[in-house]
Coordinates of all heavy atoms in Angstrom, one line a residue:
T1119 N 1.3 3.0 -3.5 CA 0.1 3.4 -4.2 C 0.3 4.8 -4.8 O 0.0 5.1 -6.0 CB -1.1 3.3 -3.4 OG1 -1.2 1.9 -2.9 CG2 -2.4 3.7 -4.1
L1120 N 0.7 5.7 -3.9 CA 0.8 7.1 -4.4 C 1.9 7.3 -5.4 O 1.6 7.9 -6.5 CB 1.0 8.1 -3.2 CG 1.1 9.5 -3.5 CD1 -0.2 10.0 -4.2 CD2 1.4 10.4 -2.3
L1130 N 0.5 9.4 -18.6 CA -0.7 9.8 -19.4 C -0.6 11.2 -19.9 O -1.0 11.5 -21.0 CB -1.9 9.6 -18.5 CG -2.4 8.2 -18.3 CD1 -3.6 8.1 -17.3 CD2 -2.9 7.6 -19.6
A1131 N 0.0 12.1 -19.1 CA 0.1 13.5 -19.5 C 1.1 13.6 -20.7 O 0.8 14.3 -21.6 CB 0.7 14.3 -18.3
L1133 N 1.6 11.2 -22.9 CA 0.9 10.6 -24.0 C -0.1 11.6 -24.6 O -0.1 11.7 -25.8 CB 0.2 9.4 -23.5 CG -0.6 8.6 -24.6 CD1 0.4 7.9 -25.5 CD2 -1.4 7.5 -23.9
V1134 N -0.8 12.3 -23.8 CA -1.8 13.3 -24.3 C -1.0 14.4 -25.0 O -1.5 14.8 -26.1 CB -2.6 13.9 -23.1 CG1 -3.4 15.1 -23.5 CG2 -3.6 12.8 -22.6
A1135 N 0.1 14.9 -24.5 CA 0.9 15.9 -25.1 C 1.4 15.4 -26.5 O 1.4 16.2 -27.5 CB 2.0 16.4 -24.3
Q1139 N 0.4 16.9 -30.4 CA 1.4 17.3 -31.4 C 1.1 16.6 -32.7 O 1.3 17.2 -33.8 CB 2.8 17.0 -30.9 CG 3.3 18.0 -29.8 CD 4.7 17.6 -29.3 OE1 5.2 16.6 -29.6 NE2 5.3 18.6 -28.6
A1143 N 0.2 18.4 -36.2 CA 1.1 18.3 -37.4 C 0.3 17.6 -38.5 O 0.7 17.8 -39.7 CB 2.3 17.5 -37.0
P1145 N -3.4 17.3 -39.3 CA -4.8 17.6 -39.1 C -5.8 16.8 -39.9 O -6.9 16.6 -39.6 CB -5.0 19.1 -39.4 CG -3.8 19.4 -40.2 CD -2.7 18.5 -39.9
D1146 N -5.3 16.2 -41.1 CA -6.1 15.4 -41.9 C -6.2 14.0 -41.5 O -6.8 13.2 -42.2 CB -5.6 15.5 -43.4 CG -5.8 16.9 -43.9 OD1 -6.7 17.7 -43.4 OD2 -5.0 17.3 -44.8
Y1151 N 1.0 5.9 -38.8 CA 1.5 5.6 -40.1 C 1.9 6.9 -40.8 O 3.0 6.9 -41.5 CB 0.4 4.9 -41.0 CG 0.9 4.6 -42.4 CD1 1.9 3.7 -42.6 CD2 0.4 5.4 -43.4 CE1 2.3 3.4 -43.9 CE2 0.8 5.1 -44.7 CZ 1.8 4.2 -44.9 OH 2.3 4.0 -46.2
V1153 N 2.9 9.7 -39.5 CA 4.1 10.2 -38.9 C 5.4 9.4 -39.3 O 6.4 9.9 -39.7 CB 4.0 10.2 -37.3 CG1 5.2 10.6 -36.7 CG2 2.8 11.1 -36.9
K1155 N 5.8 7.4 -41.9 CA 6.0 7.5 -43.3 C 6.7 8.8 -43.6 O 7.7 8.9 -44.4 CB 4.7 7.5 -44.1 CG 4.8 7.5 -45.6 CD 3.5 7.4 -46.2 CE 3.5 7.9 -47.7 NZ 2.2 8.0 -48.2
H1157 N 8.5 10.8 -41.6 CA 9.8 11.0 -40.9 C 10.8 9.9 -41.1 O 12.0 10.1 -41.1 CB 9.6 11.3 -39.4 CG 8.9 12.5 -39.1 ND1 9.4 13.8 -39.3 CD2 7.6 12.7 -38.7 CE1 8.5 14.7 -39.0 NE2 7.4 14.1 -38.6
G1159 N 10.3 7.3 -43.7 CA 10.1 6.7 -45.0 C 9.0 5.7 -45.1 O 8.5 5.2 -44.1
R1160 N 8.6 5.4 -46.3 CA 7.4 4.5 -46.5 C 7.6 3.1 -45.8 O 6.6 2.5 -45.3 CB 7.1 4.4 -48.0 CG 5.9 3.6 -48.2 CD 5.6 3.5 -49.7 NE 4.5 2.6 -50.0 CZ 3.2 3.0 -50.2 NH1 2.9 4.3 -50.1 NH2 2.3 2.2 -50.4
A1162 N 9.0 2.3 -43.2 CA 8.9 2.3 -41.7 C 7.5 2.2 -41.1 O 7.4 1.9 -40.0 CB 9.6 3.5 -41.2
P1164 N 3.6 0.8 -40.5 CA 3.1 -0.5 -40.2 C 2.8 -1.3 -41.5 O 2.3 -0.7 -42.4 CB 1.8 -0.2 -39.4 CG 1.9 1.2 -38.9 CD 2.8 1.9 -39.9
R1166 N 0.5 -3.4 -42.2 CA -0.9 -3.6 -42.5 C -1.5 -2.5 -43.4 O -2.5 -2.6 -44.0 CB -1.7 -3.8 -41.3 CG -1.8 -2.6 -40.4 CD -2.7 -2.9 -39.2 NE -2.7 -1.8 -38.2 CZ -3.4 -0.7 -38.4 NH1 -4.2 -0.6 -39.4 NH2 -3.3 0.3 -37.5

Side-chain angles (χ1 to χ4, degrees):
T1119 303
L1120 183 60
L1130 284 173
L1133 183 67
V1134 167
Q1139 288 180 343
D1146 295 331
Y1151 176 72
V1153 174
K1155 181 179 163 189
H1157 295 289
R1160 183 179 174 97
R1166 66 178 175 82

